[in-house]
Amino acid sequence: MGGSNLEIFKFGLYIMFPIGWMYYFGTNLESRFSVPDFWPPPETTHRIPHDREDLLAELERMKAQRLERRARRLEMEAQQKERGEGAG
Protein backbone atom coordinates (compact mmCIF):
# COMPACT_ATOMS: atom_id res chain seq x y z
CA MET A 1 0.00 0.00 0.00
CA GLY A 2 2.12 2.84 1.25
CA GLY A 3 5.84 3.04 1.18
CA SER A 4 8.25 3.36 4.01
CA ASN A 5 8.19 7.18 3.63
CA LEU A 6 4.50 7.18 4.49
CA GLU A 7 5.13 5.08 7.59
CA ILE A 8 7.96 7.37 8.68
CA PHE A 9 5.70 10.41 8.14
CA LYS A 10 2.87 8.85 10.16
CA PHE A 11 5.25 7.87 12.95
CA GLY A 12 6.69 11.38 13.07
CA LEU A 13 3.21 12.86 13.12
CA TYR A 14 2.11 10.53 15.93
CA ILE A 15 5.13 11.54 17.98
CA MET A 16 5.28 15.26 17.18
CA PHE A 17 1.57 16.08 17.49
CA PRO A 18 1.32 15.44 21.26
CA ILE A 19 4.70 17.06 21.85
CA GLY A 20 3.65 20.13 19.88
CA TRP A 21 0.33 20.22 21.71
CA MET A 22 2.07 20.09 25.11
CA TYR A 23 4.61 22.70 24.02
CA TYR A 24 1.91 25.10 22.83
CA PHE A 25 -0.20 24.83 25.97
CA GLY A 26 2.74 24.41 28.35
CA THR A 27 4.77 27.52 27.52
CA ASN A 28 3.97 31.05 28.61
CA LEU A 29 0.94 30.03 30.63
CA GLU A 30 1.01 33.15 32.80
CA SER A 31 0.16 35.55 30.00
CA ARG A 32 -1.83 33.28 27.71
CA PHE A 33 -4.39 31.78 30.10
CA SER A 34 -4.42 34.20 33.01
CA VAL A 35 -7.39 36.20 34.25
CA PRO A 36 -6.31 39.60 35.60
CA ASP A 37 -7.16 40.25 39.26
CA PHE A 38 -8.59 36.73 39.72
CA TRP A 39 -6.99 36.18 43.12
CA PRO A 40 -7.39 38.86 45.80
CA PRO A 41 -4.23 40.66 46.89
CA PRO A 42 -2.55 39.20 49.98
CA GLU A 43 -3.31 42.33 52.03
CA THR A 44 -7.07 41.70 51.81
CA THR A 45 -7.08 37.97 52.53
CA HIS A 46 -7.65 36.42 55.94
CA ARG A 47 -4.51 36.02 58.00
CA ILE A 48 -4.35 32.99 60.25
CA PRO A 49 -3.31 33.95 63.80
CA HIS A 50 -0.24 32.15 65.10
CA ASP A 51 0.52 33.81 68.45
CA ARG A 52 -1.47 33.25 71.61
CA GLU A 53 -2.48 36.92 71.78
CA ASP A 54 -3.63 36.88 68.17
CA LEU A 55 -5.64 33.72 68.80
CA LEU A 56 -7.32 35.21 71.85
CA ALA A 57 -8.10 38.42 69.96
CA GLU A 58 -9.59 36.41 67.09
CA LEU A 59 -11.70 34.34 69.51
CA GLU A 60 -13.00 37.52 71.17
CA ARG A 61 -13.85 38.99 67.77
CA MET A 62 -15.70 35.83 66.75
CA LYS A 63 -17.55 35.71 70.08
CA ALA A 64 -18.62 39.36 69.77
CA GLN A 65 -19.79 38.74 66.22
CA ARG A 66 -21.77 35.67 67.30
CA LEU A 67 -23.39 37.52 70.21
CA GLU A 68 -24.29 40.44 67.94
CA ARG A 69 -25.97 38.09 65.45
CA ARG A 70 -27.79 36.34 68.31
CA ALA A 71 -29.06 39.65 69.71
CA ARG A 72 -30.23 40.70 66.25
CA ARG A 73 -31.97 37.35 65.73
CA LEU A 74 -33.73 37.55 69.12
CA GLU A 75 -34.84 41.11 68.37
CA MET A 76 -36.29 40.05 65.02
CA GLU A 77 -38.06 37.09 66.64
CA ALA A 78 -39.54 39.40 69.28
CA GLN A 79 -40.79 41.77 66.58
CA GLN A 80 -42.36 38.90 64.65
CA LYS A 81 -43.99 37.61 67.81
CA GLU A 82 -45.47 41.06 68.54
CA ARG A 83 -46.84 41.31 65.02
CA GLY A 84 -48.23 37.79 65.19
CA GLU A 85 -50.00 38.37 68.51
CA GLY A 86 -51.33 41.79 67.53
CA ALA A 87 -52.88 40.53 64.28
CA GLY A 88 -54.49 37.48 65.85
Side-chain angles (χ1 to χ4, degrees):
M1 288 221 218
S4 62
N5 285 340
L6 178 62
E7 294 298 321
I8 291 172
F9 173 75
K10 287 187 343 186
F11 178 75
L13 185 64
Y14 294 154
I15 296 298
M16 292 306 292
F17 183 75
I19 292 173
W21 190 266
M22 288 186 290
Y23 179 76
Y24 175 76
F25 286 105
T27 56
N28 201 9
L29 292 176
E30 301 301 323
S31 63
R32 187 177 296 157
F33 299 109
S34 66
V35 177
D37 298 329
F38 180 74
W39 299 106
E43 303 86 41
T44 61
T45 58
H46 180 70
R47 291 188 181 89
I48 299 173
H50 295 286
D51 298 337
R52 180 174 170 80
E53 295 82 20
D54 293 341
L55 284 171
L56 291 175
E58 184 67 19
L59 284 173
E60 286 298 321
R61 184 191 68 80
M62 289 169 61
K63 183 178 179 180
Q65 187 179 24
R66 180 178 53 85
L67 290 175
E68 179 183 337
R69 284 195 312 254
R70 180 178 184 266
R72 206 174 326 139
R73 186 189 77 228
L74 291 175
E75 181 181 325
M76 289 179 67
E77 287 176 358
Q79 288 176 356
Q80 288 177 353
K81 201 179 244 188
E82 288 174 5
R83 289 181 185 158
E85 290 176 2

